[in-house]
Amino acid sequence: MSEYRTETDSMGELQVPADALYQAQTQRAVNNFSISGLAMPKQFITALAYVKQAAAQSNCELGHLDKKKAQAIERACQEVIDGQHLEQFPIDVFQTGSGTSTNMNANEVIATLASRYNDDLVHPNDDVNMGQSSNDVIPTTIAVSSVINVVYELFPALDQLSQMLERKKAEVGEIVKTGRTHLMDAMPVTFNQTLNTWQHQVDTAMAAIRHSLDGVSALAQGGTAVGTGVNADPKFAEQFCKNLTTNVGIRFTPSKNFFYNIGSQDAIVSLSGQLKVLAVAQMKIANDLRWMNSGPLAGLGEIELEALQPGSSIMPGKVNPVIPEAAAMVSAQVIGNDATITVAGQSGNFELNVMLPVIAYNILQSIELLANSSRALADKAIRTFKVNQSNIDKALAKNPILVTALNPVIGYAKAAKIAKQAYQSGQPIIDVAEQETELSRAELEKLLNPTKLTQGGL
């Protein structure tokens, strides 16, 4: 048998691999876009199949598509949703800015599969793409894939991280440690206060992401080429969202302005911005963990992260904070992805944004990376770290900043003198304060009690 077959489109004949489910337009895109070797993400292809499935159902229900053809298309789409045939979507991310090549790739693959389940041939354009344009399909698919993966992947991971921080607070929360500002000794804090800060960052970021989904879940589908809805039934958009909501299990609605969704990607830019906030929060958590774990002898050594792997190819016994390092790199990648999405979002030229594939690739990568790194932080860093009580107590006892508590009693100038003397002599602050003031040891123990100082007030 020949390794190729001949396919024909509006531009003429083309050789296509004999076993390919796609047809001529996909092959032209494969030939034209040998740029990165990066295909569109699996999550995007799955969402695109959901879009085609809901479109077929809707066109059938509205009386425009033969029932047997519609059922064959739905069956073919379900195979893609179930993870089959992903190798049939080879087109490079860096392609035509509308994503037309990927839309036609899906139309052709689904048409080929559906034709196997139907007496008549199913046409990629006339049947699978009925009432649609790449210009509303691809923005819709970006939105649907983003919402699906935030709801089903990222939110559960963030819930897991938040719950793990809650558990750790119950385990070590009452322990008092030296606080730090400018990386320098400051007033004491509890582990509860430190962990609660991280948890609040995670929860606040999650709430903002959730709010941004309101705009993302209002879809472009039904606007077709430029937003006017040409060649689509006026009832299509509403019916489409109804079917998609049922199929996916997440509520989607038609946009109130199709021109907005097709000409701009502002809703996705907003979502990406909130993912960046989460990345910044994750970077703070990762860096705090690294600093607290530093040493173990010449650093802070306040905590001991779980030893997961050897840390050096030349220094025996070295163990590194690999999970916080990985999480920090994820944060850097997500921040970079947001910059790409921001630039791409500016490319809404008149009635169409023309950087849709790279927006899709980056937003989905950000969601996936943050979900995976959140789980890793929860399971392999927060859950398992141990507190080095002796190191904490030693540093806390000699922390000259504790003298701040004496300001209302002896004044700032006297307190500063005591702090310098304690630092220079290496003595505990309470010993120097007893020597330099008329306060009794009992009074000083009460005033300089680290636990009391974490509670604020006079």
Side-chain angles (χ1 to χ4, degrees):
M1 291 180 63
S2 171
E3 294 181 6
Y4 294 92
R5 68 178 193 270
T6 301
E7 290 283 353
T8 304
D9 63 10
S10 60
M11 297 184 73
E13 293 185 348
L14 195 67
Q15 293 295 104
V16 176
D19 59 352
L21 298 178
Y22 54 78
Q23 300 168 24
Q25 290 201 43
T26 300
Q27 187 61 50
R28 290 191 191 280
V30 170
N31 294 346
N32 288 334
F33 304 117
S34 297
I35 295 176
S36 70
L38 299 172
M40 295 299 288
K42 175 184 180 292
Q43 302 98 317
F44 186 86
I45 300 304
T46 300
L48 183 51
Y50 271 122
V51 168
K52 295 297 176 181
Q53 186 180 62
Q57 291 171 327
S58 303
N59 281 318
C60 179
E61 290 160 357
L62 293 169
H64 304 300
L65 183 61
D66 174 77
K67 186 175 181 180
K68 287 186 177 180
K69 279 190 176 181
Q71 289 175 338
I73 292 170
E74 290 174 46
R75 180 177 172 182
C77 290
Q78 192 60 48
E79 290 184 13
V80 178
I81 291 167
D82 292 340
Q84 300 180 50
H85 316 300
L86 288 174
E87 75 283 354
Q88 299 294 327
F89 296 87
I91 298 173
D92 204 281
V93 169
F94 299 95
Q95 53 168 289
T96 176
S98 62
T100 297
S101 297
T102 292
N103 183 40
M104 283 308 305
N105 187 183
N107 291 333
E108 291 177 346
V109 169
I110 292 166
T112 299
L113 290 170
S115 294
R116 297 175 178 177
Y117 314 134
N118 191 61
D119 296 335
D120 299 323
L121 286 177
V122 175
H123 196 278
N125 299 80
D126 297 338
D127 299 323
V128 182
N129 200 58
M130 178 184 287
Q132 303 153 64
S133 163
S134 300
N135 297 354
D136 62 351
V137 166
I138 299 302
T140 295
T141 304
I142 294 173
V144 172
S145 58
S146 297
V147 173
I148 287 173
N149 287 282
V150 166
V151 171
Y152 291 138
E153 297 296 332
L154 181 58
F155 283 165
L158 294 179
D159 280 332
Q160 181 181 344
L161 178 55
S162 182
Q163 290 167 16
M164 193 59 69
L165 287 163
E166 188 68 29
R167 273 181 52 183
K168 204 66 178 183
K169 285 193 297 184
E171 181 184 324
V172 302
E174 293 183 0
I175 298 173
V176 179
K177 63 185 288 291
T178 299
R180 290 182 181 83
T181 58
H182 305 270
L183 298 181
M184 306 298 285
D185 298 340
M187 294 299 289
V189 296
T190 63
F191 267 90
N192 185 75
Q193 289 164 334
T194 296
L195 294 167
N196 194 57
T197 298
W198 298 348
Q199 185 181 28
H200 193 70
Q201 284 187 278
V202 171
D203 292 346
T204 301
M206 181 161 55
I209 293 168
R210 192 182 303 279
H211 179 72
S212 73
L213 292 188
D214 293 342
V216 178
S217 59
L219 304 179
Q221 203 64 54
T224 65
V226 295
T228 60
V230 63
N231 288 354
D233 190 305
K235 298 178 182 178
F236 175 79
E238 192 72 43
Q239 194 68 19
F240 170 85
C241 287
K242 178 182 176 182
N243 285 317
L244 185 66
T245 296
T246 299
N247 297 345
V248 174
I250 300 171
R251 184 171 181 267
F252 293 97
T253 60
S255 172
K256 295 179 181 178
N257 188 321
F258 293 135
F259 295 94
Y260 166 82
N261 293 75
I262 296 173
S264 85
Q265 282 292 291
D266 291 358
I268 294 295
V269 172
S270 176
L271 170 59
S272 178
Q274 298 307 329
L275 294 174
K276 180 179 70 174
V277 172
L278 175 60
V280 170
Q282 180 174 272
M283 182 78 85
K284 190 252 194 295
I285 295 169
N287 283 335
D288 282 357
L289 285 167
R290 292 198 290 175
W291 276 107
M292 290 162 65
N293 180 75
S294 61
L297 300 179
L300 298 180
E302 292 180 337
I303 65 170
E304 180 182 336
L305 291 168
E306 180 184 6
L308 296 172
Q309 62 188 63
S312 173
S313 61
I314 191 173
M315 294 177 281
K318 194 171 191 298
V319 178
N320 298 328
V322 292
I323 296 300
E325 287 175 352
M329 286 190 284
V330 164
S331 295
Q333 183 67 48
V334 171
I335 292 166
N337 287 353
D338 179 65
T340 298
I341 291 167
T342 300
V343 172
Q346 297 173 43
S347 293
N349 302 325
F350 298 106
E351 278 67 58
L352 180 66
N353 182 286
V354 289
M355 287 198 182
L356 297 176
V358 78
I359 290 174
Y361 184 86
N362 280 273
I363 196 73
L364 290 173
Q365 185 186 68
S366 291
I367 294 166
E368 181 178 22
L369 289 175
L370 287 167
N372 291 340
S373 60
S374 294
R375 291 190 187 94
L377 277 173
D379 287 340
K380 298 179 180 181
I382 303 298
R383 181 178 66 85
T384 56
F385 81 73
K386 299 176 182 177
V387 173
N388 292 328
Q389 186 75 59
S390 61
N391 284 3
I392 286 173
D393 291 345
K394 190 186 302 180
L396 195 58
K398 292 188 176 182
N399 182 2
I401 306 302
L402 293 179
V403 78
T404 303
L406 303 182
N407 283 1
V409 180
I410 64 175
Y412 182 94
K414 182 70 172 178
K417 180 181 177 182
I418 292 172
K420 291 177 182 178
Q421 186 173 333
Y423 177 74
Q424 290 168 357
S425 65
Q427 292 178 275
I429 195 74
I430 192 170
D431 292 344
V432 178
E434 187 177 15
Q435 297 164 17
E436 298 295 327
T437 71
E438 296 180 358
L439 297 169
S440 68
R441 186 81 179 187
E443 288 176 304
L444 288 169
E445 286 176 351
K446 182 178 179 181
L447 288 167
L448 297 174
N449 183 329
T451 300
K452 183 176 183 298
L453 294 178
T454 65
Q455 299 165 2
L458 294 171

